[in-house]
Amino acid sequence: MGRGARAALAAALTAAVCALCAASPAGAAAAPACTKAAARKAVASTGFARRIKATLGSVFRPGESVLGLYGVGQLLCADVTADGTREMIVLLQCCTVASPSPWAIFKVDARGRWALRYTRIRTVAFRLRVDAAGDVEAKSPRYAAADPNCCPSSYQYVRAHWTGSAFETLRGRR
């Protein structure tokens, strides 16, 4: 077999293996998209928006929706449960640096839809990240009495840690 034929055979075998690895098992639902549009839909359809309004109701004008006031400020798509399927982590932001910035973790359910699995509502989070251990970490300002809103003197950290069956809240950095 010539060099060209070997190269073509290797390419065909590689393509076949890649196709088999990418194929979903029979009956498995395809993972939903992890996009800002999917995040907005999940916020509205899973009850997260209702929880936000119930908790922070006074910040809303009559008739104003959660997604009318808040936008998806940060979106992370990562497997934080180590099950081989990525979760969608959404940080909502609005208005001012001191406004509450609710965030949530959505996990794919048995029907292949985003399901709400963890929430933090009464929090001011500047950013989210997934740390080396797979925990979702929120960085929040800690203001001293004389600090302006723009410039906190320090930060505090809250992590959502997967226990194998649920997320639990841990304080501080690893």
Side-chain angles (χ1 to χ4, degrees):
M1 182 179 296
R3 180 182 294 178
R6 281 194 304 260
L9 179 59
L13 286 172
T14 301
V17 169
C18 288
L20 287 173
C21 291
S24 296
C34 185
T35 62
K36 284 193 174 187
R40 285 189 294 275
K41 183 177 178 183
V43 166
S45 67
T46 62
F48 186 39
R50 274 192 310 280
R51 288 184 187 189
I52 293 169
K53 264 199 135 164
T55 305
L56 304 175
S58 63
V59 304
F60 295 95
R61 290 185 294 251
E64 185 173 35
S65 71
V66 169
L67 293 172
L69 181 62
Y70 283 93
V72 177
Q74 186 179 3
L75 174 67
L76 300 173
C77 306
D79 181 7
V80 295
T81 60
D83 66 355
T85 303
R86 65 187 179 173
E87 282 68 45
M88 181 168 63
I89 305 136
V90 179
L91 172 66
L92 298 178
Q93 294 177 314
C94 87
C95 316
T96 69
V97 71
S99 295
S101 40
W103 61 278
I105 302 173
F106 298 90
K107 188 167 176 41
V108 178
D109 68 12
R111 298 176 303 179
R113 297 181 185 158
W114 291 116
L116 185 61
R117 292 302 300 264
Y118 180 85
T119 65
R120 299 282 300 174
I121 295 174
R122 289 186 186 272
T123 185
V124 176
F126 280 1
R127 72 169 174 82
L128 301 176
R129 75 179 189 98
V130 177
D131 69 15
D135 292 345
V136 180
E137 180 184 79
K139 179 181 181 180
S140 298
R142 183 179 291 157
Y143 294 99
D147 289 348
N149 274 350
C150 69
C151 312
S153 17
S154 63
Y155 297 95
Q156 57 193 8
Y157 299 87
V158 172
R159 289 178 288 122
H161 172 76
W162 181 249
T163 65
S165 60
F167 287 98
E168 68 179 354
T169 301
L170 303 176
R171 304 214 179 266
R173 298 189 100 167
R174 277 194 194 262

